[in-house]
Amino acid sequence: MRVAYVLCCSVALLGAVGTASAQDWTKSKWGPDDEIGAANYMKPELVVKAAQLVKTGKTYALGFPLDNKMPAYPPRGFKITVVQPGQAGIPGLGPSKTTYNDDIIEGWVGVGSQLDGLGHVGVEHVYYNGNKLLDFADPTGLKKLGIDKLPPMVTRGVLLDMAAHYNTDVVKEGTAFNVKEIEEAAKKQGIEIRQGDVVLFHTGWASLIGKDDKRFNSGEPGLGVEGAKYLTGKGVVAVGADTWAVEVIPFESKNVFEVHQILLAMNGTYIMEVLNTADLAKDKAYEFLFVLGQPRFKGGVQSMINPVAIR
C-alpha cells in the first residue's frame, strides 16, 4: 500500500459495505478480542490437506531479491550496508584471526515483496474489528493488530494466471478482476477457490521492474471491488499479486484504495504485494502448498516476506 492514511467520507464508507450498516464491519465474526482475522480459517486439518498437494517437491520462491533499485512509492526506499565492526587495522579476532561481516538495513518495510497486516489500512481511522487509531497506534509499535500476531501461514495456495486469461504477457493497467473474470479464469484452469485458501494473481506486471519502473509505479491491473467482496465471501486467508497494490489502478471509482479497506479493515483478509508469480505461471502450477513465516516485527504494520510455494 502506498499511503499511510486513507480518508473516506461516510458516503464512500456506505458504498464500500453495500447495503449493510456502516458499523457492521467493525465487529469481527471471531469475537471482540480477535486480532488475526481470516488467519482463523487455517485449522490443523486444513494444513494436512494442503500438505497432500506436494507431489514433486519442487519449490518456488515468491519473494523478489531486495535492493535500493526496487521501485517504491516516494518517500519509501531501502538500502543495505555491510560492515566489519571492530576489525579495522587488525588481521582478525583471537589467535585464529576470525573475521566477520554484519549488515545494517535502513528503509521502509513496505518496499518489495511485502505483507500488509490488519493495522495497515482503515476507514476514517477505524481499523479491523473496530479498533480506533488513537486507541492502538503508537510510534513505537501497534498495541493491537501487530504483524507479530499472525501465525505461520500454511495452507492451500491457488494461482490465477490472468495474463494467460487475457492472452498477453502483461495485463494492461486499469484492468479489473471482478466476479466474472475470477470465475472464468478459475474455470479455465480447473481450479476451485475454497475457504482458507491464499489466492494469487499473475499479471506479468512485475516484469516491468527494472525495465519500466515509471509505468510499474503509475498503475496496474488488479482486484476490483466486487472481486474483493467475492473472495472475502469465499473465506480466503490472503490475496496476493505480482503488483505493488494488488488492486486495480486507476481505481474503479473516486474511492481511494477501497479494495484494501474491504480486505484488511472489513474482513481481516491479508494482502501480499510484489510477489514473483512468473515461475508458477510458467509451470502452470495452479494449486500448491503455500508456506509463509513472516518476520515478526513486534507491533509492525507490514512485513518483508519471501513466501514459498511447494508442488
Side-chain angles (χ1 to χ4, degrees):
M1 238 295 291
R2 305 215 225 175
V3 293
Y5 297 97
V6 177
L7 303 178
C8 295
C9 65
S10 58
V11 174
L13 171 58
L14 286 169
V17 297
T19 58
S21 73
Q23 292 304 311
D24 285 349
W25 65 269
T26 66
K27 295 184 172 76
S28 169
K29 68 172 77 176
W30 292 289
D33 297 324
D34 182 61
E35 296 186 55
I36 65 170
N40 282 288
Y41 289 125
M42 293 187 297
K43 304 297 184 184
E45 54 269 25
L46 189 68
V47 177
V48 172
K49 287 183 180 180
Q52 294 170 1
L53 295 171
V54 178
K55 306 297 183 184
T56 69
K58 186 170 183 177
T59 60
Y60 300 79
L62 303 182
F64 281 102
L66 180 59
D67 62 15
N68 61 2
K69 297 179 181 178
M70 176 64 72
Y73 187 76
R76 293 180 181 181
F78 172 89
K79 74 173 184 177
I80 186 169
T81 302
V82 175
V83 296
Q84 299 79 34
Q87 300 171 69
I90 63 172
L93 306 178
S96 61
K97 298 181 176 58
T98 300
T99 56
Y100 68 97
N101 297 309
D102 268 357
D103 38 18
I104 303 168
I105 289 177
E106 299 175 68
W108 297 65
V109 177
V111 177
S113 303
Q114 63 196 264
L115 170 71
D116 287 351
L118 304 187
H120 184 41
V121 168
V123 180
E124 211 165 353
H125 304 297
V126 179
Y127 293 74
Y128 174 72
N129 211 0
N131 287 287
K132 297 179 181 179
L133 182 73
L134 293 178
D135 294 336
F136 81 100
D138 186 273
T140 62
L142 301 180
K143 299 175 183 176
K144 286 187 175 182
L145 307 180
I147 203 70
D148 56 297
K149 301 292 178 64
L150 176 64
M153 200 177 284
V154 182
T155 189
R156 176 177 179 256
V158 169
L159 179 79
L160 295 180
D161 189 346
M162 305 310 291
H165 178 68
Y166 289 104
N167 193 29
T168 184
D169 292 331
V170 180
V171 181
K172 186 179 179 181
E173 50 266 70
T175 303
F177 310 148
N178 283 309
V179 179
K180 178 177 180 292
E181 292 78 16
I182 293 171
E183 289 189 338
E184 286 180 351
K187 183 178 180 180
K188 187 184 296 185
Q189 295 177 190
I191 289 295
E192 176 189 4
I193 298 173
R194 304 169 189 160
Q195 181 173 294
D197 284 350
V198 166
V199 177
L200 307 181
F201 291 97
H202 173 71
T203 70
W205 200 248
S207 66
L208 299 174
I209 295 174
K211 298 177 182 177
D212 193 344
D213 290 346
K214 182 177 179 180
R215 184 185 176 194
F216 177 83
N217 267 340
S218 63
E220 64 183 35
L223 190 60
V225 167
E226 292 304 318
K229 293 177 181 178
Y230 174 76
L231 291 179
T232 57
K234 288 278 189 179
V236 304
V237 173
V239 181
D242 57 347
T243 60
W244 58 262
V246 172
E247 64 182 283
V248 63
I249 296 173
F251 304 116
E252 296 168 292
S253 72
K254 293 182 179 180
N255 290 337
V256 177
F257 291 111
E258 187 177 358
V259 167
H260 271 69
Q261 293 177 312
I262 293 168
L263 295 176
L264 294 170
M266 298 177 186
N267 292 280
T269 305
Y270 296 85
I271 296 175
M272 291 177 287
E273 300 160 343
V274 197
L275 296 184
N276 183 4
T277 56
D279 290 339
L280 286 174
K282 180 181 178 182
D283 287 354
K284 297 183 178 180
Y286 302 140
E287 186 182 30
F288 44 86
L289 173 64
F290 179 91
V291 180
L292 171 64
Q294 83 290 347
R296 302 179 69 186
F297 302 131
K298 191 170 180 62
V301 173
Q302 300 159 294
S303 197
M304 298 173 174
I305 59 172
N306 178 33
V308 178
I310 311 173
R311 294 179 68 196

